[in-house]
Amino acid sequence: RPVLVAGSALDGDSTRVELVSGAQQVAPLVTSSGLTGGAAWSPDGSQIVYSSSTNVEDPRTLSVVAATGGLPTPLPGLSDVTHPDWGPDGRIVFVQHNEGDQSDIWVVEPDGSGARVLVETPGLDTDPRWSPDGNWIAFISPRGGPEEIYRIRPDGSALEAVTRGTLDIEGRIAW
């Protein structure tokens, strides 16, 4: 399957979500004059969820687009959200940004229904990633100290630190 790429276009005037195979662009799926990023495949590979805004000043929302292209479908009721990841059971985990320096981890159904907070603490919780078996969601959080990797069950139970000590965490969590 092609690689999913989300971010700034080479022209510098737009951002996009596109499929790339080797050095060849396979398909531009979404182009925006705002911010676009954080794209993830659905479990069956037929859809892509991503965060975007209509311009750089607007908060980002989540949308779903077919992997073959077409019009994106915004997930209703979500605003100022980033870092979506599609779980093996079809649910989507994402970051909800709040006032000041706070963001929380949420889970939502792929149609936008059933949104609920999973991790709500002071500080910047970010970069949630489902485990391949769907039993855990890992994320990065300072929780009053240096950034560490934590994991939690999708039902909100069994929160635990995975790393301990000072880390310089860069990039995305990978299982």
Side-chain angles (χ1 to χ4, degrees), residues 7-9 12-16 31-37 51-58 60:
S8 296
D13 293 329
S14 64
T15 60
R16 61 181 121 202
T31 301
S32 171
S33 59
L35 299 171
T36 301
S51 63
S52 68
S53 64
T54 53
N55 65 59
V56 294
E57 289 83 29
D58 288 343
R60 292 188 199 187

Side-chain angles (χ1 to χ4, degrees), residues 62 75-79 81 90-96 104-120 130 154:
L62 294 183
L75 299 186
L78 305 177
S79 179
V81 294
R91 289 180 292 170
I92 298 167
V93 64
F94 63 93
V95 173
Q96 169 72 55
D104 300 319
I105 309 296
W106 286 64
V107 177
V108 67
E109 297 297 324
D111 63 1
S113 67
R116 66 179 178 84
V117 67
L118 186 65
V119 177
E120 184 177 33
W130 287 92

Side-chain angles (χ1 to χ4, degrees), residues 73-140:
T73 303
L75 299 186
L78 305 177
S79 179
D80 208 3
V81 294
T82 59
H83 298 92
D85 190 41
W86 221 310
D89 68 355
R91 289 180 292 170
I92 298 167
V93 64
F94 63 93
V95 173
Q96 169 72 55
H97 297 273
N98 301 312
E99 295 294 323
D101 289 333
Q102 183 176 344
S103 60
D104 300 319
I105 309 296
W106 286 64
V107 177
V108 67
E109 297 297 324
D111 63 1
S113 67
R116 66 179 178 84
V117 67
L118 186 65
V119 177
E120 184 177 33
T121 58
L124 297 172
D125 298 329
T126 189
D127 200 32
R129 294 288 166 258
W130 287 92
S131 63
D133 63 9
N135 289 326
W136 295 97
I137 297 170
F139 63 96
I140 299 170

